[in-house]
Amino acid sequence: MGAELIAIFIVAIFIENVVLSQILGLCPFIGVSSKIDSATGMGFAVIFVLLLASVVTWSIQNFVLVPLQLEYLQTISFILIIASLVQFVEMVVRKTAPALYQSLGVFLPLITTNCAVLGISLINIKRGYNLVEAVANAAGAGIGFFFALLIMAGIRERLDICEIPESMKGAPIAFITAGLLATAFMGFSGLV
Amino acid sequence: MNDMLRMGSFLFIIAAVAGVLLGFTEMKTSPRILENRLKQLEQARAEVLPEAKKFNDIKSENPNEGLLYTAGFAENGDLAGIVVNVAPKGYAGPIEMVLGLKTDGSIAGVKILSQKETPGLGTKLADNVFLAPFKKLLQDKQKPVFKVKQDGGDVDGITAATISSRAFCVGVTEALGTFEKVREQLPTLTAPTALPAVPQSGDAK
Amino acid sequence: MNPIQQLTKGFWKDNPIFVIGLGLCPALAVSSSLSNAVGMGIAATFVLIGSNMMISLLRHLVPSKIRIPVYIVIIATFVTIIDKMIAAYSPALSASLGIFIPLIVVNCIILGRAEAFANKNGVFDSLLDAIGMGIGFTIALCCIAFFRELLGEGKLFGHAMPFFSKDPALIMIMAPGGFIVFGLLIALKRLMASKGGN
């Protein structure tokens, strides 16, 4: 049981990295990865929302949708839950921890349309994980996202001072860097 | 307050309309989706146990366990073998496999129904690259050890996809285990007299 | 803008993927083969047409404070409908697109067009905009998929191509190939734009 959970967690971080292997959550990955500071903020915000969203969507699926045979409302209910969750978290953080809000607040609204959150929630259901496994998967995915974002931001800060052909500047070079990173992450396969 | 009420009721109406639309879509499409899945299973079954023409689903007495295996009967009503569905954990999620086993416990056929293995590597499981040597092994050897060669078995694994290959072996072993468990009751089975039994989805819902 | 321009702007000039940079996840995740790319393109276009027209119709009725949740409900409804239709009529496509069909909900192109266009324009213009953007999205997906399938599997639409089918570069159909092909394609698009004098 314990080993199984650790395996899910490690696999989610390295082998099935949300961004570099499953290709989810690219918008923030490319959009917020130009500075390390903002990448850190976004990373923490995503980990937090992912964990929360997985718990809530898992419970809704198994305690509401399945018993009532309303599985076809899955997509619509999950996205509404995630959207309201993000709003709610934003409100709570703003009221209770202004300092945290200063650093994370701007990233929170962006997370609603981060497909990693909805994607991981759907994957949890699709693979038939139980609640603990779903949390392990979400935690791994969040940390994996954080790692990928941080590595990317580190590389891009250095890329700023490199000479790059005019038409490759910005997004194109970022994607090619991401491609190389993804290749590197493929080396983790077979770890578990 | 009035404003709140207006917005609330608007949202409610939108959600209600959406719900009705979706319910309608579900009603229209779900029989077809189920039918697709059954057709796929039926096809797979005929493929892995070609001698069998009629099938009979054997369920566990415990209703929570669902389908145990499917018995296949030849044209003349003799038991041709059994079909077992297994889903070993692969490299990325379960690999849904269907195995046909003859009455002596030898493997008649294997088919991969669905898998999420690495494209071009693990997905070769469903390819002749992997299946052809596997079939040859079944013919050449009396009692092959269903493990990857690296683990001391006889199965030629796929290079760079050891986990997928191992999962495949686990699936085969599991199916053989099921056969051993039910071996006793096999002679007691009789072919369905009516039309071929409607195949049931293998996954526990 | 005349109707023709309204329709064609999304094909190339304002292509949602290459120029505006919206909806990247599906663009990279399901572009490993041309048939997936076309399937995804059609599904997204359907949702885009439905949501754009519906939102345009309701634009005077929806209280502006709750417009985003209303949009999300509308989009999610269309997404679920197409999801079920694909599962019913094309199970193979449904299996290969997997969770990327429900993920159309969070495809920024759709919410983006709702907020930036359908919210402010009439039904007919919104329809044209949706068709144009949908086709643009499909074109972009097919461009990426063309290179990935050809180089990664040596095939086009599942048919083996001479010369390429010998020892294909598998990595192109995996995640890294998607990133690299996409990076090179946007660089190419920019180069063409700058050579063209704008």
Side-chain angles (χ1 to χ4, degrees), chain A residues 101-138:
Chain A
Y101 182 75
Q102 284 281 312
S103 52
L104 291 190
V106 286
F107 302 111
L108 281 171
L110 288 174
I111 295 177
T112 311
T113 48
N114 181 341
C115 48
V117 179
L118 182 60
I120 294 294
S121 304
L122 291 171
I123 287 174
N124 283 338
I125 305 297
K126 205 163 191 168
R127 295 210 183 137
Y129 284 155
N130 64 33
L131 184 57
V132 187
E133 286 169 338
V135 170
N137 188 35

Short mmCIF file of all heavy atoms in Angstrom, two decimals, chain A residues 101-138:
data_model
loop_
_atom_site.label_atom_id
_atom_site.label_comp_id
_atom_site.label_asym_id
_atom_site.label_seq_id
_atom_site.Cartn_x
_atom_site.Cartn_y
_atom_site.Cartn_z
N TYR A 101 -1.13 36.79 -0.28
CA TYR A 101 -1.92 37.23 -1.43
C TYR A 101 -1.06 38.07 -2.36
O TYR A 101 -1.16 37.96 -3.59
CB TYR A 101 -3.14 38.03 -0.97
CG TYR A 101 -4.01 38.45 -2.11
CD1 TYR A 101 -4.84 37.53 -2.75
CD2 TYR A 101 -4.01 39.76 -2.58
CE1 TYR A 101 -5.63 37.89 -3.81
CE2 TYR A 101 -4.80 40.13 -3.65
CZ TYR A 101 -5.61 39.20 -4.26
OH TYR A 101 -6.38 39.56 -5.32
N GLN A 102 -0.21 38.90 -1.75
CA GLN A 102 0.70 39.73 -2.55
C GLN A 102 1.52 38.88 -3.52
O GLN A 102 1.71 39.23 -4.67
CB GLN A 102 1.66 40.49 -1.62
CG GLN A 102 1.02 41.67 -0.92
CD GLN A 102 0.90 42.87 -1.83
OE1 GLN A 102 1.87 43.22 -2.49
NE2 GLN A 102 -0.29 43.46 -1.90
N SER A 103 1.99 37.74 -3.02
CA SER A 103 2.88 36.95 -3.88
C SER A 103 2.14 35.94 -4.76
O SER A 103 2.60 35.64 -5.85
CB SER A 103 3.94 36.24 -3.02
OG SER A 103 3.32 35.53 -1.98
N LEU A 104 1.01 35.40 -4.27
CA LEU A 104 0.32 34.36 -5.05
C LEU A 104 -0.91 34.87 -5.78
O LEU A 104 -1.31 34.31 -6.80
CB LEU A 104 -0.14 33.22 -4.13
CG LEU A 104 0.89 32.32 -3.50
CD1 LEU A 104 0.20 31.12 -2.86
CD2 LEU A 104 1.88 31.83 -4.54
N GLY A 105 -1.48 35.95 -5.23
CA GLY A 105 -2.80 36.39 -5.67
C GLY A 105 -2.97 36.52 -7.16
O GLY A 105 -3.94 36.02 -7.74
N VAL A 106 -2.01 37.15 -7.81
CA VAL A 106 -2.19 37.40 -9.23
C VAL A 106 -2.24 36.12 -10.05
O VAL A 106 -2.77 36.11 -11.14
CB VAL A 106 -1.06 38.30 -9.79
CG1 VAL A 106 -1.26 39.73 -9.32
CG2 VAL A 106 0.30 37.79 -9.38
N PHE A 107 -1.68 35.04 -9.50
CA PHE A 107 -1.63 33.81 -10.28
C PHE A 107 -2.91 33.00 -10.16
O PHE A 107 -3.22 32.18 -11.01
CB PHE A 107 -0.46 32.94 -9.85
CG PHE A 107 0.85 33.64 -9.98
CD1 PHE A 107 1.55 34.01 -8.87
CD2 PHE A 107 1.33 33.97 -11.23
CE1 PHE A 107 2.75 34.68 -8.99
CE2 PHE A 107 2.52 34.65 -11.35
CZ PHE A 107 3.23 35.01 -10.23
N LEU A 108 -3.65 33.24 -9.05
CA LEU A 108 -4.79 32.38 -8.80
C LEU A 108 -5.84 32.39 -9.91
O LEU A 108 -6.23 31.33 -10.37
CB LEU A 108 -5.41 32.73 -7.43
CG LEU A 108 -4.65 32.14 -6.25
CD1 LEU A 108 -5.20 32.69 -4.95
CD2 LEU A 108 -4.75 30.62 -6.26
N PRO A 109 -6.30 33.56 -10.37
CA PRO A 109 -7.34 33.53 -11.41
C PRO A 109 -6.88 32.79 -12.66
O PRO A 109 -7.69 32.15 -13.34
CB PRO A 109 -7.58 35.00 -11.73
CG PRO A 109 -7.04 35.75 -10.58
CD PRO A 109 -5.95 34.93 -9.99
N LEU A 110 -5.60 32.84 -12.94
CA LEU A 110 -5.07 32.18 -14.15
C LEU A 110 -5.22 30.67 -14.07
O LEU A 110 -5.21 29.99 -15.09
CB LEU A 110 -3.58 32.50 -14.31
CG LEU A 110 -3.22 33.90 -14.74
CD1 LEU A 110 -1.71 34.08 -14.72
CD2 LEU A 110 -3.75 34.16 -16.13
N ILE A 111 -5.32 30.16 -12.84
CA ILE A 111 -5.30 28.71 -12.69
C ILE A 111 -6.60 28.06 -13.14
O ILE A 111 -6.61 26.91 -13.53
CB ILE A 111 -4.96 28.34 -11.22
CG1 ILE A 111 -3.55 28.80 -10.92
CG2 ILE A 111 -5.06 26.86 -10.99
CD1 ILE A 111 -3.14 28.56 -9.53
N THR A 112 -7.70 28.83 -13.14
CA THR A 112 -8.97 28.25 -13.55
C THR A 112 -8.84 27.63 -14.93
O THR A 112 -9.32 26.53 -15.19
CB THR A 112 -10.06 29.32 -13.61
OG1 THR A 112 -10.01 30.06 -12.41
CG2 THR A 112 -11.41 28.69 -13.78
N THR A 113 -8.17 28.34 -15.82
CA THR A 113 -8.04 27.80 -17.18
C THR A 113 -6.75 27.03 -17.36
O THR A 113 -6.33 26.77 -18.48
CB THR A 113 -8.10 28.93 -18.22
OG1 THR A 113 -7.22 29.96 -17.81
CG2 THR A 113 -9.49 29.45 -18.38
N ASN A 114 -6.11 26.65 -16.27
CA ASN A 114 -4.93 25.80 -16.37
C ASN A 114 -5.42 24.37 -16.56
O ASN A 114 -6.03 23.79 -15.67
CB ASN A 114 -4.12 25.92 -15.08
CG ASN A 114 -2.86 25.08 -15.12
OD1 ASN A 114 -2.74 24.16 -15.91
ND2 ASN A 114 -1.95 25.40 -14.25
N CYS A 115 -5.15 23.80 -17.72
CA CYS A 115 -5.77 22.51 -17.98
C CYS A 115 -5.15 21.41 -17.12
O CYS A 115 -5.71 20.34 -17.01
CB CYS A 115 -5.75 22.15 -19.45
SG CYS A 115 -4.18 22.35 -20.25
N ALA A 116 -4.02 21.69 -16.46
CA ALA A 116 -3.46 20.66 -15.60
C ALA A 116 -4.43 20.32 -14.47
O ALA A 116 -4.56 19.15 -14.10
CB ALA A 116 -2.13 21.13 -15.02
N VAL A 117 -5.12 21.33 -13.93
CA VAL A 117 -6.00 21.07 -12.78
C VAL A 117 -7.16 20.17 -13.18
O VAL A 117 -7.39 19.12 -12.58
CB VAL A 117 -6.50 22.40 -12.18
CG1 VAL A 117 -7.42 22.12 -11.01
CG2 VAL A 117 -5.34 23.26 -11.75
N LEU A 118 -7.86 20.56 -14.24
CA LEU A 118 -8.98 19.72 -14.71
C LEU A 118 -8.45 18.38 -15.22
O LEU A 118 -9.02 17.33 -14.96
CB LEU A 118 -9.75 20.45 -15.82
CG LEU A 118 -10.96 19.72 -16.36
CD1 LEU A 118 -11.99 19.46 -15.28
CD2 LEU A 118 -11.60 20.49 -17.51
N GLY A 119 -7.31 18.44 -15.91
CA GLY A 119 -6.73 17.21 -16.47
C GLY A 119 -6.42 16.19 -15.40
O GLY A 119 -6.80 15.03 -15.51
N ILE A 120 -5.74 16.63 -14.34
CA ILE A 120 -5.38 15.68 -13.27
C ILE A 120 -6.63 15.16 -12.58
O ILE A 120 -6.73 13.97 -12.27
CB ILE A 120 -4.42 16.35 -12.26
CG1 ILE A 120 -3.08 16.67 -12.93
CG2 ILE A 120 -4.20 15.48 -11.04
CD1 ILE A 120 -2.27 15.47 -13.36
N SER A 121 -7.62 16.04 -12.38
CA SER A 121 -8.86 15.58 -11.75
C SER A 121 -9.50 14.48 -12.58
O SER A 121 -9.98 13.47 -12.06
CB SER A 121 -9.85 16.73 -11.61
OG SER A 121 -9.28 17.78 -10.89
N LEU A 122 -9.52 14.67 -13.91
CA LEU A 122 -10.13 13.66 -14.79
C LEU A 122 -9.31 12.38 -14.81
O LEU A 122 -9.87 11.28 -14.81
CB LEU A 122 -10.26 14.21 -16.21
CG LEU A 122 -11.28 15.33 -16.41
CD1 LEU A 122 -11.16 15.93 -17.79
CD2 LEU A 122 -12.68 14.80 -16.21
N ILE A 123 -7.98 12.52 -14.81
CA ILE A 123 -7.12 11.34 -14.83
C ILE A 123 -7.34 10.51 -13.57
O ILE A 123 -7.42 9.29 -13.61
CB ILE A 123 -5.64 11.75 -14.99
CG1 ILE A 123 -5.39 12.23 -16.42
CG2 ILE A 123 -4.71 10.58 -14.67
CD1 ILE A 123 -4.02 12.79 -16.66
N ASN A 124 -7.45 11.21 -12.42
CA ASN A 124 -7.69 10.50 -11.16
C ASN A 124 -8.91 9.61 -11.25
O ASN A 124 -8.92 8.49 -10.77
CB ASN A 124 -7.92 11.50 -10.02
CG ASN A 124 -6.64 12.12 -9.54
OD1 ASN A 124 -5.57 11.55 -9.74
ND2 ASN A 124 -6.73 13.28 -8.93
N ILE A 125 -9.96 10.12 -11.86
CA ILE A 125 -11.20 9.36 -11.97
C ILE A 125 -11.01 8.23 -12.98
O ILE A 125 -11.38 7.09 -12.75
CB ILE A 125 -12.36 10.26 -12.45
CG1 ILE A 125 -12.51 11.47 -11.54
CG2 ILE A 125 -13.65 9.46 -12.52
CD1 ILE A 125 -12.86 11.19 -10.13
N LYS A 126 -10.40 8.58 -14.10
CA LYS A 126 -10.25 7.62 -15.19
C LYS A 126 -9.46 6.39 -14.75
O LYS A 126 -9.75 5.28 -15.14
CB LYS A 126 -9.56 8.30 -16.35
CG LYS A 126 -9.89 7.64 -17.64
CD LYS A 126 -9.57 8.48 -18.84
CE LYS A 126 -10.21 7.79 -20.00
NZ LYS A 126 -10.28 8.51 -21.20
N ARG A 127 -8.43 6.62 -13.93
CA ARG A 127 -7.60 5.50 -13.50
C ARG A 127 -8.20 4.77 -12.32
O ARG A 127 -7.61 3.84 -11.80
CB ARG A 127 -6.22 6.01 -13.11
CG ARG A 127 -5.49 6.59 -14.28
CD ARG A 127 -4.00 6.41 -14.13
NE ARG A 127 -3.34 7.06 -15.25
CZ ARG A 127 -2.26 7.79 -15.13
NH1 ARG A 127 -1.72 7.97 -13.94
NH2 ARG A 127 -1.71 8.33 -16.18
N GLY A 128 -9.34 5.24 -11.82
CA GLY A 128 -9.98 4.58 -10.70
C GLY A 128 -9.19 4.65 -9.40
O GLY A 128 -9.21 3.73 -8.60
N TYR A 129 -8.48 5.75 -9.19
CA TYR A 129 -7.75 5.92 -7.94
C TYR A 129 -8.71 6.07 -6.76
O TYR A 129 -9.80 6.60 -6.91
CB TYR A 129 -6.88 7.18 -8.01
CG TYR A 129 -5.63 7.04 -8.83
CD1 TYR A 129 -5.03 8.15 -9.41
CD2 TYR A 129 -5.02 5.80 -9.02
CE1 TYR A 129 -3.88 8.04 -10.16
CE2 TYR A 129 -3.87 5.68 -9.77
CZ TYR A 129 -3.30 6.81 -10.33
OH TYR A 129 -2.16 6.69 -11.07
N ASN A 130 -8.27 5.61 -5.58
CA ASN A 130 -9.05 5.96 -4.39
C ASN A 130 -8.57 7.32 -3.91
O ASN A 130 -7.65 7.91 -4.49
CB ASN A 130 -8.93 4.88 -3.31
CG ASN A 130 -7.52 4.73 -2.80
OD1 ASN A 130 -6.77 5.71 -2.73
ND2 ASN A 130 -7.14 3.52 -2.44
N LEU A 131 -9.20 7.83 -2.84
CA LEU A 131 -8.93 9.22 -2.47
C LEU A 131 -7.46 9.47 -2.17
O LEU A 131 -6.87 10.44 -2.62
CB LEU A 131 -9.81 9.61 -1.27
CG LEU A 131 -9.70 11.07 -0.85
CD1 LEU A 131 -10.04 12.00 -2.00
CD2 LEU A 131 -10.61 11.37 0.33
N VAL A 132 -6.85 8.53 -1.42
CA VAL A 132 -5.45 8.73 -1.04
C VAL A 132 -4.55 8.71 -2.27
O VAL A 132 -3.65 9.53 -2.43
CB VAL A 132 -5.01 7.64 -0.04
CG1 VAL A 132 -3.63 7.95 0.49
CG2 VAL A 132 -6.00 7.55 1.10
N GLU A 133 -4.82 7.78 -3.17
CA GLU A 133 -4.03 7.70 -4.40
C GLU A 133 -4.21 8.97 -5.23
O GLU A 133 -3.25 9.48 -5.81
CB GLU A 133 -4.45 6.48 -5.22
CG GLU A 133 -3.96 5.16 -4.65
CD GLU A 133 -4.60 3.96 -5.32
OE1 GLU A 133 -5.70 4.10 -5.92
OE2 GLU A 133 -4.03 2.88 -5.24
N ALA A 134 -5.46 9.46 -5.26
CA ALA A 134 -5.72 10.68 -6.03
C ALA A 134 -4.91 11.83 -5.47
O ALA A 134 -4.32 12.62 -6.22
CB ALA A 134 -7.21 11.01 -6.01
N VAL A 135 -4.85 11.92 -4.13
CA VAL A 135 -4.08 13.00 -3.51
C VAL A 135 -2.59 12.83 -3.83
O VAL A 135 -1.91 13.80 -4.17
CB VAL A 135 -4.31 13.03 -1.99
CG1 VAL A 135 -3.33 13.96 -1.31
CG2 VAL A 135 -5.73 13.46 -1.69
N ALA A 136 -2.10 11.58 -3.77
CA ALA A 136 -0.69 11.35 -4.08
C ALA A 136 -0.38 11.76 -5.52
O ALA A 136 0.62 12.42 -5.80
CB ALA A 136 -0.34 9.88 -3.88
N ASN A 137 -1.29 11.41 -6.42
CA ASN A 137 -1.09 11.76 -7.83
C ASN A 137 -1.10 13.28 -8.01
O ASN A 137 -0.26 13.84 -8.71
CB ASN A 137 -2.18 11.11 -8.68
CG ASN A 137 -1.94 11.27 -10.15
OD1 ASN A 137 -0.80 11.24 -10.59
ND2 ASN A 137 -3.00 11.45 -10.91
N ALA A 138 -2.06 13.94 -7.34
CA ALA A 138 -2.16 15.40 -7.48
C ALA A 138 -0.92 16.07 -6.90
O ALA A 138 -0.38 17.01 -7.48
CB ALA A 138 -3.42 15.91 -6.78
#
